[in-house]
Amino acid sequence: MRYGMAIDTAKCVGCGDCVVACQTENNVPNGYCRDWVVENVNGSYPNVEIELRSERCNHCENSPCVRCCPTGASHIVKGGIIMVTHNECIGCGACIESCPYDARYSHPEGYVDKCTFCQHRLEKGQNTACVEVCPTTCLHFGDLEDPYSDVSLALKNRTWKVLAPEAGTKPQLFFLT
Amino acid sequence: MKEELFVSGRNIPNIDPFLNIWHWEIPVYLYLGGISAGIMFFAGLFTVLGKEKEMPTTVKWSTFLVPVALVLGLFALFLDLKHQLFFWRLYTTIRIESPMSWGAWTLMFITPLSMVWAASYIKELIPGWKWKLGILDTIEDLVIKTRKPLAWAMMALAIVLGVYTGILLSAFNARPLWNTSILGPLFLVSGLSTGLAAIIWMSKSHFERTVLTKIDIVLIGVELFLIIHLFMGFLAGSAVKIEAAELFLGGEFTTAFWGFVVILGLIIPVILEILELIGFKIPIWIPSILVLIGGLIFRFIMVEAGQITRFLY
Ligand code: SF4
Ligand code: SF4
């Protein structure tokens, strides 16, 4: 099993519902977030191109954050999800430095926090909070190894890219272009 | 034409300004670790060579600095942690892949070793010194009897510690300025050189200073060579590496790096040291203090600048 997410940059309207849903679901402290929306505007008038991307931890297959963690607080669980055990984390910041996507942040309580692919919801057979609320259904989540999962179907007939593949971390977020 | 009109990018007020998570604590920690590695390496080396009589400062007196520096360094590391109550978690696992982990473990071994090493010379430093506890006398005897093997262990651990101070940074591929294997040897050589500077400053014997100064000249030469290599590697690298190098070649760290680290911290002291060897009268503390300050600024700049460099997408 290998969880991944496909994000349709052509459909996203940048409403930020995924961000709010995550903050609510995961009790993210005020002013922090585990996912965010980036708006890139390229080109010059009249050929302007906007790309909206809902980003979060890429749950990298070759995850530098897990490798550099001195305590084992950052670890990989079933489906390739990268988790942080809060009361094992010493807050050394090594994983924050190691992430090319700046997906981690220092929680006001001291430990490091980030997206969990809503692992607590997956266990109950539910989908992630961000996917559930997206009004344009531009987020697709599921098992990449299952050819009929939502994410595999979304990737099937579209072109996609991953962010900063040159960082070598094998990210598992796919941006449909 | 591809012109970037406006990139809102990411702007999370409570996260983005704090992604540069490492402040003064880490460079200070790396600096004290480097000096300690330098002093311990040369104390071990001249013990193995059987030069305790000729090089008393190197083998004996300077080693009193090491436990102090290491404990202060560990304290700086502790201050850097954001979840300090869980500090002990560092010592419940060994994670080979994590430089932070094996650095913490190296310090766990090297700090007590440096303490017993210095303590075994305390009777020579303070005549009439008496240990209050009998067990300490036993330990002292043991250290004195096993001095040579301990010296070897100290040299090995000192090299691990010195290289570690560079690898702690170079292991991060997300920070292109750090992500170069030259950083390990560069920090090791710089650490050895700052350690030597401290010993030379303390030493009262002309013979000892001359020997150490000669070694220091070679080390500074190697350091300059590695710095040139570092930039050659960056400039021949990918876009993010070139961008990293440009911070030092016209960017915001240019003056600080070339002025304070390379010229004041390496080139001027090496010239002064050579002049001194030729026979000019140079106050001994000038090159030493320049090397020591240069080494500290070097670590501050590397930690600071590295956190600015990142992958762009
Ligand atoms: S995106 Fe960052 S935090 Fe997430 S797995 Fe990759 S390196 Fe780790
Ligand atoms: S901050 Fe926590 S999770 Fe991150 S590397 Fe340090 S101990 Fe591990």
Side-chain angles (χ1 to χ4, degrees):
Chain A
M1 189 146 80
R2 174 74 241 191
Y3 286 122
M5 193 180 273
I7 294 129
D8 197 335
T9 59
K11 252 183 173 180
C12 177
V13 292
C15 65
D17 276 6
C18 50
V19 180
V20 179
C22 172
Q23 287 166 326
T24 316
E25 173 69 31
N26 295 300
N27 277 322
V28 179
N30 231 335
Y32 294 81
C33 54
R34 292 177 176 186
D35 57 352
W36 59 93
V37 181
V38 171
E39 174 185 312
N40 271 0
V41 184
N42 275 311
S44 61
Y45 186 79
N47 299 314
V48 195
E49 186 187 78
I50 299 185
E51 182 177 275
L52 288 160
R53 294 194 305 259
S54 165
E55 295 181 7
R56 55 193 55 51
C57 166
N58 283 263
H59 296 272
C60 306
E61 197 175 317
N62 178 21
S63 39
C65 51
V66 171
R67 240 179 298 133
C68 74
C69 176
T71 62
S74 286
H75 61 286
I76 308 176
V77 299
K78 190 167 142 252
I81 301 178
I82 314 288
M83 299 286 283
V84 183
T85 311
H86 293 164
N87 58 10
E88 280 180 18
C89 171
I90 58 174
C92 66
C95 55
I96 295 183
E97 300 289 2
S98 80
C99 175
Y101 304 100
D102 296 334
R104 294 173 166 246
Y105 70 93
S106 178
H107 192 282
E109 272 166 36
Y111 51 79
V112 161
D113 194 38
K114 69 174 215 28
C115 162
T116 59
F117 267 168
C118 282
Q119 205 234 6
H120 61 289
R121 290 174 60 92
L122 301 182
E123 275 174 350
K124 289 187 263 170
Q126 295 166 320
N127 217 331
T128 72
C130 49
V131 172
E132 293 271 290
V133 299
C134 179
T136 61
T137 61
C138 71
L139 301 174
H140 306 270
F141 180 80
D143 181 2
L144 291 164
E145 284 166 9
D146 169 6
Y148 298 104
S149 69
D150 194 16
V151 62
S152 304
L153 291 174
L155 289 173
K156 211 165 173 186
N157 296 317
R158 292 282 295 274
T159 52
W160 48 264
K161 64 174 182 186
V162 295
L163 299 177
E166 66 275 19
T169 61
K170 298 205 181 133
Q172 304 295 316
L173 293 192
F174 305 91
F175 293 87
L176 305 175
T177 51
Chain B
M1 191 175 77
K2 196 168 185 223
E3 183 191 349
E4 220 160 21
L5 280 179
F6 160 64
V7 178
S8 59
R10 210 179 98 151
N11 181 16
I12 312 168
N14 277 344
I15 299 180
D16 290 345
F18 305 106
L19 283 170
N20 299 1
I21 194 94
W22 285 350
H23 304 293
W24 63 270
E25 297 92 343
I26 295 289
V28 166
Y29 165 62
L30 299 180
Y31 177 66
L32 292 170
I35 294 191
S36 307
I39 295 179
M40 292 189 85
F41 179 81
F42 289 105
L45 179 69
F46 286 104
T47 305
V48 168
L49 296 175
K51 293 269 192 289
E52 286 100 330
K53 291 257 153 40
E54 295 91 331
M55 317 279 289
T57 313
T58 319
V59 173
K60 302 173 187 171
W61 317 139
S62 66
T63 62
F64 284 88
L65 289 179
V66 178
V68 182
L70 287 176
V71 169
L72 284 178
L74 269 173
F75 186 64
L77 176 66
F78 175 73
L79 288 181
D80 165 68
L81 303 181
K82 303 270 178 311
H83 215 203
Q84 287 162 337
L85 279 182
F86 292 83
F87 180 69
W88 52 275
R89 280 282 180 189
L90 270 176
Y91 294 107
T92 52
T93 52
I94 299 187
R95 299 204 62 262
I96 298 296
E97 285 182 317
S98 161
M100 197 63 119
S101 174
W102 56 263
W105 279 101
T106 311
L107 285 166
M108 185 74 155
F109 287 106
I110 209 166
T111 312
L113 181 56
S114 73
M115 285 177 181
V116 296
W117 183 275
S120 72
Y121 282 119
I122 203 158
K123 282 188 181 152
E124 292 185 38
L125 186 71
I126 309 172
W129 174 276
K130 283 249 161 23
W131 292 110
K132 294 252 157 56
L133 285 171
I135 174 109
L136 292 175
D137 277 310
T138 332
I139 296 178
E140 187 181 16
D141 286 341
L142 199 70
V143 173
I144 292 170
K145 267 197 220 107
T146 53
R147 177 95 59 207
K148 282 264 154 75
L150 279 185
W152 280 107
M154 225 160 66
M155 278 163 72
L157 282 171
I159 290 180
V160 174
L161 179 63
V163 174
Y164 152 71
T165 60
I167 290 189
L168 180 69
L169 303 183
S170 74
F172 294 126
N173 117 320
R175 303 284 171 255
L177 176 71
W178 293 345
N179 190 222
T180 154
S181 47
I182 290 190
L183 234 53
L186 180 57
F187 273 64
L188 171 67
V189 176
S190 162
L192 292 180
S193 166
T194 49
L196 271 184
I199 310 175
I200 296 175
W201 195 357
M202 288 176 76
S203 172
K204 299 218 165 43
S205 127
H206 182 70
F207 169 79
E208 184 172 24
R209 283 207 309 258
T210 315
V211 174
L212 297 178
T213 303
K214 281 183 189 154
I215 303 177
D216 200 30
I217 291 172
V218 176
L219 286 179
I220 293 181
V222 174
E223 207 177 326
L224 287 168
F225 170 80
L226 288 175
I227 288 176
I228 294 169
H229 258 273
L230 183 74
F231 283 98
M232 278 171 59
F234 282 148
L235 292 177
S238 56
V240 286
K241 297 273 184 195
I242 295 174
E243 212 160 88
E246 277 168 356
L247 284 177
F248 294 83
L249 305 169
E252 59 182 292
F253 293 96
T254 315
T255 353
F257 184 76
W258 299 101
F260 288 109
V261 177
V262 176
I263 297 179
L264 274 176
L266 297 170
I267 295 179
I268 296 197
V270 86
I271 293 174
L272 291 178
E273 285 179 345
I274 293 171
L275 287 179
E276 206 209 345
L277 284 187
I278 301 174
F280 287 87
K281 271 258 157 298
I282 310 268
I284 192 64
W285 54 273
I286 293 182
S288 289
I289 212 165
L290 287 176
V291 168
L292 286 168
I293 294 177
L296 184 61
I297 298 179
F298 173 58
R299 283 159 181 80
F300 267 93
I301 292 180
M302 287 308 280
V303 171
E304 185 77 23
Q307 295 183 88
I308 296 177
T309 60
R310 59 192 59 223
F311 281 95
L312 290 175
Y313 53 85

